[in-house]
């Protein structure tokens, strides 16, 4: 038994979505995580709670409100159309927006913890050597937080691979456009096509293998530091 053309297309859409979501979150999440780790703002906990909201909010609830926002009558959807852009609801762009918001805590929290673990001492030493704040960030903070970046990238990618409720609400189930692996598996199970469901489910085990790699690399790094 082999994958159908529709399933192969679904696989590429899912990998593209996970990869693009991870890159966007790393680019946007790195400065935000750095600020959260270093800031003394008294109301910082409000932003941290907002970032962690997808961890406790049912995916269908988040997906529903995103669908309202991205729809033609919603603030984001109407703005996109007024600028001559495409409709965001039931589109790949909408999937990316929803995935970025839904996977945000899985990227930002590991980065924030990695930056916080650096402490003040290495940065203060670099400052005494006349390193600018930007130099301290790129030459001290980023290299020391590399394990956090690995964890954040893998968690963000793996979490996006397994999304169901959010992507179903925002993108629907349009083959070749917004259908992702988790939805395709559900469709095969509903149709009693268990063989196809097994093949696609095995593909999602990639996330498990990636987690094993992360834990192995982080353990090796921890042992090397001792």
């Amino acid at each position: 038994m082999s994958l159908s053309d529709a399933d192969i297309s679904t696989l590429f859409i899912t990998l593209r979505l996970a990869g693009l979501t991870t890159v966007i979150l790393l680019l946007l999440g790195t400065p935000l995580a750095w600020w959260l780790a270093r800031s003394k703002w008294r109301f910082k906990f409000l932003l941290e709670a907002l970032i962690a909201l997808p961890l406790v909010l049912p995916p269908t609830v988040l997906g529903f409100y995103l669908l309202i926002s991205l729809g033609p009558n919603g603030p984001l959807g109407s703005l996109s159309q007024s600028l001559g852009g495409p409709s965001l609801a039931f589109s790949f762009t909408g999937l990316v927006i929803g995935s970025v918001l839904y996977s945000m805590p899985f990227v930002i929290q590991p980065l924030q913890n990695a930056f916080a673990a650096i402490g003040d001492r290495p940065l203060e030493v670099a400052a005494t050597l006349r390193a600018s704040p930007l130099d301290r960030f790129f030459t001290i903070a980023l290299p020391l937080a590399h394990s956090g970046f690995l964890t954040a990238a893998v968690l963000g990618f793996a979490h996006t691979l397994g999304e169901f409720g959010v992507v179903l609400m925002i993108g629907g189930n349009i083959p070749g456009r917004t259908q992702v692996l988790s939805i395709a598996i559900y469709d095969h199970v509903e149709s009693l096509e268990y063989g196809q469901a097994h093949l696609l489910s095995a593909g999602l085990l990639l996330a498990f293998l990636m987690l094993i790699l992360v834990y192995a690399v982080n353990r090796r790094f921890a042992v090397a530091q001792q």
Side-chain angles (χ1 to χ4, degrees), residues 174-198:
I174 307 174
R177 288 182 55 191
T178 62
Q179 187 183 63
V180 295
L181 278 180
S182 57
I183 300 176
I185 292 171
Y186 181 80
D187 286 346
H188 284 309
V189 172
E190 274 200 323
S191 303
L192 302 181
E193 299 171 347
Y194 294 136
Q196 296 291 334
H198 275 303

Side-chain angles (χ1 to χ4, degrees), residues 3-17 92 95 174-181 184 188 196 200:
L3 294 176
S4 65
D5 291 340
D7 288 336
I8 293 175
S9 174
T10 297
L11 175 62
F12 280 112
I13 290 174
T14 305
L15 292 176
R16 181 186 171 202
L17 176 64
F92 183 79
L95 290 185
I174 307 174
R177 288 182 55 191
T178 62
Q179 187 183 63
V180 295
L181 278 180
H188 284 309
Q196 296 291 334
L200 293 181

Side-chain angles (χ1 to χ4, degrees), residues 70-72 76-89 91 93-94 97:
L70 300 177
L76 296 179
S78 59
L79 176 62
S80 174
Q81 291 186 335
S82 66
L83 295 176
S87 174
L88 296 178
S91 69
T93 302
I97 295 174

Side-chain angles (χ1 to χ4, degrees), residues 14 17 36 68 85-86 96 103 105 109 115 134 136 154 165-166 182 200 202 206-207:
T14 305
L17 176 64
L36 289 172
I68 297 299
V96 173
S103 296
Q109 289 183 353
F115 286 140
L134 199 60
R136 296 198 295 269
V154 170
V166 170
S182 57
L200 293 181
L206 171 66

Side-chain angles (χ1 to χ4, degrees), residues 76-154:
L76 296 179
S78 59
L79 176 62
S80 174
Q81 291 186 335
S82 66
L83 295 176
S87 174
L88 296 178
F90 306 110
S91 69
F92 183 79
T93 302
L95 290 185
V96 173
I97 295 174
S99 298
V100 166
L101 294 176
Y102 190 51
S103 296
M104 186 175 294
F106 294 88
V107 174
I108 291 183
Q109 289 183 353
L111 291 178
Q112 181 182 350
N113 293 335
F115 286 140
I118 295 174
D120 295 330
R121 182 64 176 172
L123 300 174
E124 290 173 351
V125 171
T128 62
L129 299 176
R130 297 183 179 180
S132 67
L134 199 60
D135 287 336
R136 296 198 295 269
F137 176 74
F138 282 104
T139 62
I140 304 297
L142 289 186
L144 290 178
H146 75 277
S147 62
F149 277 91
L150 176 61
T151 301
V154 170

Side-chain angles (χ1 to χ4, degrees), residues 57-71 165-170:
L57 196 67
T60 50
V61 174
L62 179 61
F64 170 71
Y65 285 110
L66 283 173
L67 178 61
I68 297 299
S69 299
L70 300 177
V166 170
V167 293
L168 181 61
M169 294 292 288
I170 300 174

